[in-house]
Amino acid sequence: MRSIKWRLATLYVASAFGVLFLSTSFLYWAFASRLVRDDTQYLITKVNLLREILKEEPNDPDVIREEVEWESSSLRLTKYYARLLNSRRETILETVGMQNVVPLNVFPSPTGLSETPSEAVRWKSKNGGSFLLMTASAKSGGPNGRSMILQLALDISPESDLIADYRRQLFVVLFAGILLFSIVGFYSASKGLKPIEEITRTVKHITATQLQGRLGRSNWPQELSELAVEFDGMLDRLEDSFDRLTKFSADISHELRTPINNLRGEVEVALSQDRTPDEYKEVLGSGIEEYDRLSHIIESLLFLARAESPEAHVEKSTFDAREQVEGLFEFYEAMAEERGVTLHCEGDEIVDADPTLFRQAISNLLMNAIQHTPRGGRILVELVRNRDQSLFASVRDDGTGIEAEHLRRVYDRFYRADPSRLNNKSGSGLGLAIVKSIMQLHRGTVSIVSEPGKGTTVTLCFPA
């Protein structure tokens, strides 16, 4: 595929050549037409003059002879020939030497007596001379007026040579114009595409390990400034994604290493000396907790991977949201009683969503709320429908709350606002990330409002 530079230059040259060709063609046509028109008018004038002489001076042959035989020879710049014929097409008078230059039989048919000729016929002699021929009927004056035929020929060889020379000059101008336009076109295209080449050089230095480079907006033409802005935005997103991926890799390595190290340590201790069957059972029971933690992390990561796939979709159905929430209350009732927390639900609404994902989102929020609500606290699940029929499901607690600097990162994977909970076996830091993915699958939103010491409210919006 040809380069943009070549295309622009070719388009410029073709356009300029088209304009130049049309201009020169018009000039040539106008010049040649004007000469032919003037020559034709000259012959028409001569026809009218001869008709007038024949009409007014029929008995003075010297006047006609002077005009027909000698007028042409006396002209230096214009050479024309005239011939006067009778009705039997016999020559009465003619310019000296006309028979050798323009024979009688090459003239067109004469126009009527009452008609004025309007066009002349172009004829080329054997020796290369060019002529305009015109034939007209005439009549001598007086009571015995005779019908005659006028044959006039105008030598336009000098004008033909002039037109040919003018045509050659126009071809030279056309060729020189093409050459000039080609040089200017390729130079202009190169100059115009130079910013793109500079962008290319800048982009070449941007790699997976060097994402800090930016194009900026002020350095480029208006047509490329928006491209530069969008490209810098893409680099910002890529850099953020790479940073998240790097952190995610480090976090997942840490999360998986901890239970594996725990399992390895317990097994090594158990194998360091002989143990009783009850002691081995205790080691295996402790290992089950770590296996459960590993299984939970892996299942959560698999869910997030599936949720982010472009082919991911949800199987929506209409169901009673309060019924699902109360079913989760039964599941978490023992845990809540153990921590001295009460669960309440307000509102009775129908929701159009995936039942399994709806329960998982509310379940993750309830788990976080129970873990961060002190004894005697209260957790409220509120179901409200707004004017556009979207359902808002809010989980509100009066627990410890979250500091403002942590709120923007609570949806990051493996992120925990409280560093002391990094080794807490009750959570992996994936709960809110999963909730956000669930809401994205439903084309909904999730928002969080929290105040340290007063509690946290997480609101899910399921669109109608």
Side-chain angles (χ1 to χ4, degrees), residues 277-401:
D278 291 336
E279 290 175 333
Y280 283 123
K281 288 182 181 180
E282 182 179 354
V283 172
L284 293 176
S286 176
I288 289 177
E289 295 181 4
E290 300 296 341
Y291 293 138
D292 289 340
R293 184 180 178 188
L294 280 172
S295 177
H296 175 73
I297 293 174
I298 293 173
E299 289 177 359
S300 298
L301 292 173
L302 289 175
F303 173 82
L304 291 172
R306 289 193 297 268
E308 292 179 353
S309 172
E311 292 79 17
H313 64 281
V314 294
E315 298 292 339
K316 290 185 178 181
S317 63
T318 302
F319 57 90
D320 189 336
R322 184 183 181 95
E323 181 181 342
Q324 298 293 333
V325 172
E326 291 179 346
L328 291 172
F329 280 179
E330 294 179 2
F331 179 79
Y332 286 107
E333 183 177 3
M335 181 186 296
E337 289 180 355
E338 181 181 351
R339 300 183 66 90
V341 176
T342 57
L343 304 176
H344 298 275
C345 181
E346 293 182 2
D348 190 1
E349 299 290 345
I350 301 299
V351 64
D352 183 27
D354 187 308
T356 301
L357 297 181
F358 177 83
R359 286 194 301 270
Q360 185 171 0
I362 299 297
S363 175
N364 287 359
L365 297 180
L366 287 175
M367 173 68 75
N368 286 345
I370 292 173
Q371 291 178 355
H372 296 84
T373 301
R375 184 171 295 277
R378 181 174 180 267
I379 298 175
L380 173 65
V381 178
E382 187 176 15
L383 305 173
V384 179
R385 191 174 298 279
N386 69 351
R387 293 181 180 178
D388 66 357
Q389 299 303 308
S390 298
L391 177 70
F392 288 87
S394 300
V395 179
R396 181 182 296 112
D397 64 60
D398 51 6
T400 57

Side-chain angles (χ1 to χ4, degrees), residues 398-431:
D398 51 6
T400 57
I402 304 173
E403 298 289 343
E405 63 267 21
H406 299 297
L407 285 178
R408 64 183 183 86
R409 298 193 58 192
V410 293
Y411 301 113
D412 294 350
R413 300 171 185 178
F414 300 114
Y415 183 77
R416 296 182 178 88
D418 186 359
S420 64
R421 296 182 179 271
L422 289 177
N423 295 321
N424 191 343
K425 296 182 180 182
S426 60
S428 60
L430 294 171

